[in-house]
Amino acid sequence: MEKTLIIIKPCTIQRGLTGEIIRRFEKKGLQICGMKMMQLTDEILFEHYAHLTQKPFFKRIKNSMMATPVIVCCLKGIDAVRIVRTMTGVTNGRDAAPGTIRGDYSVSVQENIIHASDSAETAAIELKRFFNKNEIFDYKQNQLSYLYANDEI
Ligand code: IDP
Ligand code: MG
């Protein structure tokens, strides 16, 4: 089983879409292993968006991500990273396919609803960045034998 990180961005919190987003992942069958609200800082965003610090829009993204607290969430399942990225859609909400989260709720490159880890390696690093060890919970998912075939788990 794989674990991945999503961040419910301030635009989503302000638009009252948090429940909608979490609901999609729950309905899919992913297990919530951690969830908390936190205020992001300059330091954590500098690290988290290290690949964007030289971009002219970096300050704008940073301000946008600090506009309200965010909700960070750890989701678990087989191929969870890939599933969550596919459900999230491409970065630009205007290009994202209908049926994806960004495709259904965003018309913006920047205000694009959630962050989702892009590989298993990144997910491990990002989960450590936003969660303490005791904030990720490993508990039995009772529906497991209805979500997967025996040979998959
Ligand atoms: P991702 O969120 O789809 O993985 P990244 O390229 O990692 O996309 O960019 C991180 C975040 O930075 C995006 O989700 C978006 O909010 C913002 N961003 C990326 N490219 C642009 C841009 O060209 N203009 C404004 N914001 C951008
Ligand atoms: Mg990214």
Side-chain angles (χ1 to χ4, degrees):
M1 290 273 176
E2 203 167 67
K3 289 190 182 114
T4 191
L5 172 85
I6 63 161
I7 304 175
I8 311 267
K9 296 187 177 187
C11 57
T12 310
I13 308 258
Q14 289 289 21
R15 289 172 60 194
L17 291 172
T18 301
E20 290 277 323
I21 304 307
I22 301 291
R23 179 170 155 272
R24 285 194 176 212
F25 293 119
E26 277 193 304
K27 279 172 72 179
K28 177 69 175 171
L30 295 172
Q31 184 186 24
I32 298 174
C33 291
M35 181 151 60
K36 67 174 177 182
M37 185 170 248
M38 65 188 288
Q39 177 61 50
L40 299 185
T41 59
D42 264 331
E43 295 72 47
I44 205 164
L45 283 165
F46 209 79
E47 199 179 290
H48 183 64
Y49 283 146
H51 60 299
L52 299 173
T53 53
Q54 299 311 312
K55 301 276 188 193
F57 51 81
F58 180 64
K59 193 159 182 254
R60 195 153 42 81
I61 303 180
K62 215 158 39 88
N63 289 339
S64 157
M65 291 296 285
M66 294 194 295
T68 69
V70 298
I71 292 169
V72 292
C73 190
C74 171
L75 298 172
K76 182 175 167 185
I78 295 175
D79 296 331
V81 172
R82 182 155 52 86
I83 291 174
V84 170
R85 281 292 281 195
T86 305
M87 288 175 71
T88 299
V90 298
T91 308
N92 186 340
R94 294 190 293 276
D95 296 329
T100 65
I101 286 166
R102 287 168 173 170
D104 286 353
Y105 300 113
S106 166
V107 286
S108 168
V109 189
Q110 180 178 289
E111 306 302 322
N112 60 3
I113 312 296
I114 62 169
H115 164 81
S117 303
D118 62 12
S119 70
E121 295 70 39
T122 316
I125 294 166
E126 292 183 344
L127 284 167
K128 278 208 188 100
R129 179 173 299 142
F130 292 98
F131 284 100
N132 298 315
K133 249 191 178 157
N134 64 357
E135 293 172 327
I136 305 274
F137 298 89
D138 279 305
Y139 60 97
K140 187 172 180 297
Q141 194 177 15
N142 278 334
Q143 311 165 318
L144 216 57
S145 58
Y146 300 98
L147 289 168
Y148 300 101
N150 281 343
D151 67 340
E152 290 176 307
I153 50 178

